[in-house]
Every structure is written in structure tokens, then in C-alpha cells.
Amino acid sequence: METEMLKVFDDDRNQIGVAAREEVHRLGHWHEVFHCWFVSREAGVEYLYLQHRCAMKKDYPNLLDITAAGHLLAHETVYDGVREIKEEIGIDVSFDELVPLGIIEYQQAKEHFIDKELANVFLYVSTHHFDDFILQQEEVSGLVKVVLNDFEELWTEAKEKVNIQGFEIKQEDKRMMIDRYVGRDEFVPHDRSYYVSIIRLIRENLSKPPSAK
């Protein structure tokens, strides 16, 4: 497999070079990623869509995560990030359809792995149904939705568990429907402040008239 090369940055977001992805995470370099959160409105209720990471993923397997996300390679700009949406969940989206939420810095560290990300975060208001999603099964094993209000209460710790509904790909490409409750330990461990910031930004942009976005 070809080594992924990433741009690396200093603490002031100045690019200081290019390094292999493994080295970036080993040494804890700041690097760019693309995050896209899908939301929908159904019968007056706002939902947030989450991917279920494949069990074979090296980082954070079997956990719930951002709808579509990935590293921006050294030769890419943020505009190229839309490829992650098509690759991971099979939905064609143009960059112009995305609502920019800004760049959010966050970092996580565990043994031999330091993740310091400059996350270019976007919102996409979706009208798609679960049948429309085609998952990249070596990366994503399922897709679910959660009521946005419930998701907010989970990360403000007003609730310990929330209901998720969707599907997971099982053997022979069969879809198994999901309808269960999950706690914070079943999500990729982004800082709680990241989740709180994302929820605030999503709410602010959903409340704007279309011409103001």
C-alpha cells in the first residue's frame, strides 16, 4: 500500500513540511483533516448521521464517528475533501453544497499514537434515505442517525445513553437494522469540547435562513 504523505504544521498553523502518516502520528505533528457531518430534518425533528467504523480499522475500530472524514493528503486542498464522502458512504456531494463550520483544533494521545488535527469541518443538510448509502466496507461497517437534541444531551452529560437507528453490514453484504441505545464510550474519543463545539455550530447554521449560509 502506498505511503500516505501529509502536510505538517507548527502550533501557529504554518506549514513546516511533509511527512508520512505513520510518522505524523508517532511524532504528534499537526496535520489537516476533513470532517463532514450529515444532518436531516424529518417530521420536524433534526437528526445527526454517524458512521460505524469497521472492526478492521487500525484506529478506533467499532466506534461511532463523524458521518464522513479523512486525512487531506499533501497534494490536496480542502476542496478535495469531498472525495471522502463519496468513498466512505457513497453519496455524491459537491463542495458548494457544504456549509463550512470552520477549522477546529483538537488532539488525542495514546500509546505510540498522537493525533493532532486541524479539522476542516463542514455541514451537509441531507435528504437521503438509508438505502442511498453505499458503504466502503473496509472502512465503514454501518450508518446510523441520532436525534440532535439527544446527541447534545449526551455530550453535556444530561443523558448517559441515546437511541441510534440505522443499519450495519453483516456477512454476505446483508444489512442488519440497528435500533439500540449507546453511551459515550461507543464514540471515537474526540474531546468533549469538540462535540460541544460541533453541536453549537450545527445549531447556529441550521437556524440561519438559506441566503445567510
Side-chain angles (χ1 to χ4, degrees), residues 26-180:
R26 180 172 57 83
L27 298 178
H29 289 304
W30 286 105
H31 58 285
E32 290 183 306
V33 294
F34 174 89
H35 291 178
C36 185
W37 292 89
F38 276 40
V39 296
S40 68
R41 290 190 181 94
E42 303 169 36
V45 179
E46 293 167 341
Y47 291 90
L48 193 65
Y49 283 71
L50 304 162
Q51 66 165 256
H52 189 271
R53 294 169 67 88
C54 171
M56 304 303 292
K57 290 283 287 184
K58 182 179 179 182
D59 306 326
Y60 310 118
N62 280 326
L63 295 179
L64 296 166
D65 201 6
I66 301 151
T67 323
H71 290 83
L72 291 176
L73 303 180
H75 66 277
E76 293 182 314
T77 69
V78 67
Y79 296 95
D80 297 304
V82 292
R83 67 169 170 77
E84 293 288 350
I85 303 171
K86 178 65 174 178
E87 288 175 4
E88 291 191 344
I89 59 176
I91 301 295
D92 270 314
V93 176
S94 72
F95 190 81
D96 292 341
E97 295 177 275
L98 304 180
V99 179
L101 301 183
I103 299 175
I104 296 178
E105 293 183 8
Y106 72 91
Q107 50 189 303
Q108 288 288 334
K110 57 183 182 179
E111 189 176 3
H112 308 305
F113 183 85
I114 306 168
D115 198 16
K116 297 173 69 174
E117 298 190 350
L118 301 173
N120 297 272
V121 186
F122 295 87
L123 173 68
Y124 175 69
V125 180
S126 172
T127 57
H128 295 284
H129 302 287
F130 281 125
D131 289 344
D132 298 327
F133 293 90
I134 301 171
L135 306 185
Q136 184 183 22
Q137 293 182 39
E138 61 269 29
E139 298 279 339
V140 183
S141 62
L143 195 81
V144 300
K145 65 182 181 181
V146 59
V147 174
L148 182 58
N149 282 345
D150 291 346
F151 189 72
E152 180 174 25
E153 291 186 345
L154 181 69
W155 294 105
T156 57
E157 301 184 359
K159 286 184 175 180
E160 290 302 313
K161 290 185 178 291
V162 293
N163 179 251
I164 57 171
Q165 298 178 7
F167 70 92
E168 190 169 2
I169 304 291
K170 291 299 188 181
Q171 292 179 352
E172 300 175 355
D173 292 340
K174 291 182 179 178
R175 292 191 176 201
M176 182 185 79
M177 300 312 295
I178 294 172
D179 187 345
R180 64 187 181 90

